[in-house]
Amino acid sequence: MKIVSTTRSPNYTELEIPVEFVVLHYTAGSLQRTLEIFMDRAREVSSHLVIDTDGVVYEVVPCLDGRPRRAWHAGKSRLAIGSGAGARTIEAFNDRSVGIELVNINGNVFPYTEEQYVSLFSVIERLKGLYPALGSPESVVGHEQIAGFRGKCDPGRCFDWARLFAVCYPNQGAPQREAICGWELAESVRGMLGAAGVVWEAESGRVRVPAGLDESLFNRLSALCEASLSADRG
Ligand SMILES: [Zn+2]
């Protein structure tokens, strides 16, 4: 696994956090665009790690040195865990999680690459070694599980949760990780991306984006999905 630690985001709090969770996201754009956003102080967003489609891992906010700082990836977030007397609600995931962004224009439409899964599983193994609270499969969640009430829908329908739990947590069960985005909405987004010439090529297993296409389209489509999904849940 190749790890690049030379691109550091200024968007984090110099505060060491206890790591109890890993939160998965998709970038809704290219690696380059994602790193640009994370380097921009005005955007006030970041995540600890970004995994490109070729499997290269970018450590944008420190977390692999055993001194994880507080990145700004989860936003307003909450999750109900446990049952009966042990039930509790966890909030403020930036205070207690490592955020991992997987490069994907839209994880409800396009599959993740084999290289991304391989690197992600290695990263999770490494994080488990550093942060013992990650020993349970319950500790790996999607942004949609903790912020679906705001319409967040990543990593999305195309993410293979069963595979993650089978590889990283064998014989420990597979917690429910249902996608927030329904089939119909995903298909309409696929149609809009297709109309702009963005298609997935089975042969290469890669998404092809026409040269010169304005990437802000991907963010607009994500915002559209969020608005639609949060209205459904509002
Ligand atoms: Zn997210």
Side-chain angles (χ1 to χ4, degrees):
M1 174 173 55
K2 185 179 175 200
I3 299 172
V4 177
S5 299
T6 46
T7 306
R8 292 291 199 204
S9 171
N11 298 335
Y12 68 93
T13 317
E14 188 56 59
L15 172 80
E16 208 173 312
I17 55 165
V19 176
E20 299 162 5
F21 291 90
V22 167
V23 179
L24 303 184
H25 306 260
Y26 68 72
T27 54
S30 65
L31 172 75
Q32 193 191 353
R33 180 82 189 113
T34 302
L35 295 180
E36 274 170 23
I37 290 170
F38 288 175
M39 297 307 283
D40 181 354
R41 278 177 198 278
R43 303 293 288 253
E44 299 188 333
V45 291
S46 64
S47 75
H48 293 89
L49 304 171
V50 181
I51 305 182
D52 198 8
T53 51
D54 64 2
V56 176
V57 178
Y58 295 80
E59 188 190 21
V60 179
V61 173
C63 70
L64 296 174
D65 60 354
R67 290 190 57 232
R69 275 33 142 246
R70 184 178 179 279
W72 305 340
H73 60 97
K76 202 168 185 326
S77 47
R78 59 170 180 261
L79 180 70
I81 62 162
S83 57
R88 61 191 177 118
T89 299
I90 296 171
E91 294 182 305
F93 275 72
N94 283 342
D95 292 349
R96 61 189 86 254
S97 68
V98 165
I100 303 179
E101 292 272 358
L102 299 160
V103 174
N104 191 330
I105 285 165
N106 195 307
N108 287 297
V109 175
F110 300 124
Y112 292 89
T113 68
E114 186 60 24
E115 292 93 329
Q116 283 178 311
Y117 282 113
V118 170
S119 287
L120 174 63
F121 299 158
S122 300
V123 160
I124 289 176
E125 281 311 312
R126 187 151 163 190
L127 293 171
K128 279 165 69 179
L130 289 167
Y131 311 116
L134 302 181
S136 153
E138 301 284 350
S139 65
V140 185
V141 295
H143 201 192
E144 57 196 314
Q145 273 79 49
I146 61 168
F149 63 91
R150 293 192 287 124
K152 294 293 174 191
C153 54
D154 52 328
R157 307 168 56 79
C158 299
F159 186 77
D160 192 344
W161 283 105
R163 183 175 172 191
L164 182 148
F165 290 128
V167 171
C168 299
Y169 298 94
N171 308 314
Q172 293 185 65
Q176 182 84 349
R177 295 289 181 261
E178 206 181 323
I180 297 291
C181 180
W183 180 83
E184 267 184 52
L185 180 58
E187 283 309 301
S188 75
V189 172
R190 185 193 303 280
M192 287 183 264
L193 286 166
V198 182
V199 289
W200 183 75
E201 293 175 321
E203 204 172 301
S204 64
R206 294 290 196 269
V207 176
R208 184 169 52 80
V209 178
L213 183 74
D214 178 3
E215 273 205 47
S216 65
L217 168 69
F218 309 144
N219 295 102
R220 289 204 305 278
L221 283 175
S222 285
L224 192 88
C225 286
E226 282 176 27
S228 159
L229 292 166
S230 59
D232 283 355
R233 284 158 184 267

